[in-house]
Amino acid sequence: MTKLFVAAFLALGLLASAACGKQPQQAAPAQPAASEAAQAQSPEAAPAAAAPATTEESAPTAPTETVTETDDAPATADQPASGVQSNLRLATATNAPVSEHFKEGTNYRKVVPAQPTNVAPGKVEVVEFFWYGCGHCFKLDPAIEAWRGKGKPPYVEFTRVPAMWNDTLRMHARLYYTAEALGKVDELHSTIFRQIHVNNDPLSTVEQMTAFFKKHGVSPEEFQKTFASFAVESKLQRADFLNRRFGIDSVPQVAVNGKYLTDEGKAGGEPELFQLVQELAAHEHGG
């Protein structure tokens, strides 16, 4: 019995190093996002990092967040998957082997049905699903930045989609898309991570976010107008749609061309994650 308990404890520790996972929504502890509280394990992911205390009720008045697509209905070529971006093209499936070094079902899973991408012909889309409050996302961010800056092939188009499974994450998703709409996301993305995890500022309220952006050259009026804008609302709808279609319940996770989903734990480590993403992308590009 003792041996079984130790083995189970070690397995749980390994899972905890891999991702921030989905858990039932509840009032978050009033503490900085950098500290990680006791974590609840999801069916397929590791325990979640402690979420900063927040609710979207503190946000400026904005259109109600709704998903315009039919809930979880398979997308077809005749019916665009998203009412927000009807020009998305549908990824196609292939039965050819996709990797010499990694195994489907162990290191990555095939997304069925394949999901829409938003890239030009000849390009391969790579998407990181993330949350600003996740310590694992913060740890992976420098490697992601280095890869997208100098490591990724020229045919890869990289983008991010924030996780959306509760109000806390939706608040940070709105923060991300506000930065994007203001043209500040490349400048401030990593800075937001540091503000939360190093400076112990959870950025969980509109007031905290407004003050942060003011320090970076955005007036409170401009920030709050953009924060509640239709453009940001539309991005949130699409993010919610993609989270549902990919079944995102932990972060960080990486999707390749709408067909494959993996993470650092499944790949076997950080270097292996990028090797796997490169191989999947090369396969999709025909290499």
Side-chain angles (χ1 to χ4, degrees):
M1 180 66 69
T2 301
K3 291 182 179 180
L4 288 176
F5 176 79
V6 171
F9 180 80
L10 291 175
L12 182 60
L14 290 173
L15 284 173
S17 66
C20 298
K22 187 174 182 179
Q23 60 183 0
Q25 186 175 340
Q26 57 186 358
Q31 62 183 23
S35 65
E36 296 190 2
Q39 303 171 333
Q41 185 175 1
S42 72
E44 297 180 0
T54 184
T55 172
E56 280 200 78
E57 292 177 359
S58 61
T61 302
T64 303
E65 292 182 8
T66 56
V67 180
T68 57
E69 295 78 8
T70 302
D71 284 349
D72 298 328
T76 66
D78 295 330
Q79 180 180 354
S82 172
V84 177
Q85 294 193 359
S86 59
N87 63 337
L88 297 178
R89 67 185 184 87
L90 200 61
T92 55
T94 177
N95 294 321
V98 299
S99 172
E100 296 180 2
H101 306 96
F102 300 94
K103 182 179 179 182
E104 180 184 341
T106 300
N107 304 118
Y108 66 93
R109 71 172 175 88
K110 186 175 290 186
V111 179
V112 180
Q115 295 303 303
T117 61
N118 192 26
V119 294
K123 296 289 187 177
V124 175
E125 183 182 69
V126 173
V127 178
E128 179 201 11
F129 289 91
F130 79 100
W131 168 40
Y132 279 131
C134 171
H136 306 290
C137 298
F138 172 55
K139 180 178 177 292
L140 184 63
D141 184 62
I144 288 282
E145 286 293 300
W147 179 78
R148 82 178 187 96
K150 295 182 179 180
K152 72 177 182 65
Y155 55 80
V156 166
E157 289 195 11
F158 174 80
T159 188
R160 295 182 177 91
V161 173
M164 295 283 287
W165 64 70
N166 65 31
D167 288 343
T168 297
L169 277 66
R170 286 172 181 268
M171 193 69 156
H172 278 164
R174 191 180 288 274
L175 173 64
Y176 172 77
Y177 285 126
T178 299
E180 184 178 74
L182 290 167
K184 292 276 190 177
V185 72
D186 286 340
E187 173 188 345
L188 295 181
H189 180 71
S190 295
T191 304
I192 292 171
F193 268 125
R194 290 193 297 272
Q195 185 72 8
I196 294 172
H197 296 277
V198 178
N199 298 337
N200 295 328
D201 177 1
L203 295 178
S204 59
T205 68
V206 178
E207 291 73 23
Q208 290 169 341
M209 296 176 186
T210 301
F212 172 81
F213 271 80
K214 185 177 180 180
K215 291 180 181 179
H216 294 278
V218 179
S219 70
E221 295 77 15
E222 184 180 9
F223 171 78
Q224 293 185 19
K225 178 181 178 180
T226 307
F227 191 82
S229 67
F230 177 78
V232 168
E233 189 66 33
S234 296
K235 292 282 190 177
L236 288 166
Q237 289 184 8
R238 181 173 182 266
D240 198 6
F241 169 69
L242 291 174
N243 271 260
R244 294 185 186 200
R245 296 302 289 271
F246 279 96
I248 299 302
D249 58 8
S250 68
V251 287
Q253 293 197 62
V254 180
V256 179
N257 220 34
K259 299 179 185 178
Y260 311 105
L261 194 68
T262 188
D263 58 46
E264 185 177 342
K266 289 185 177 66
E270 185 179 292
E272 290 80 5
L273 172 63
F274 290 98
Q275 181 185 357
L276 173 56
V277 169
Q278 297 273 85
E279 290 190 15
L280 293 174
H283 171 78
E284 288 299 296
H285 191 247

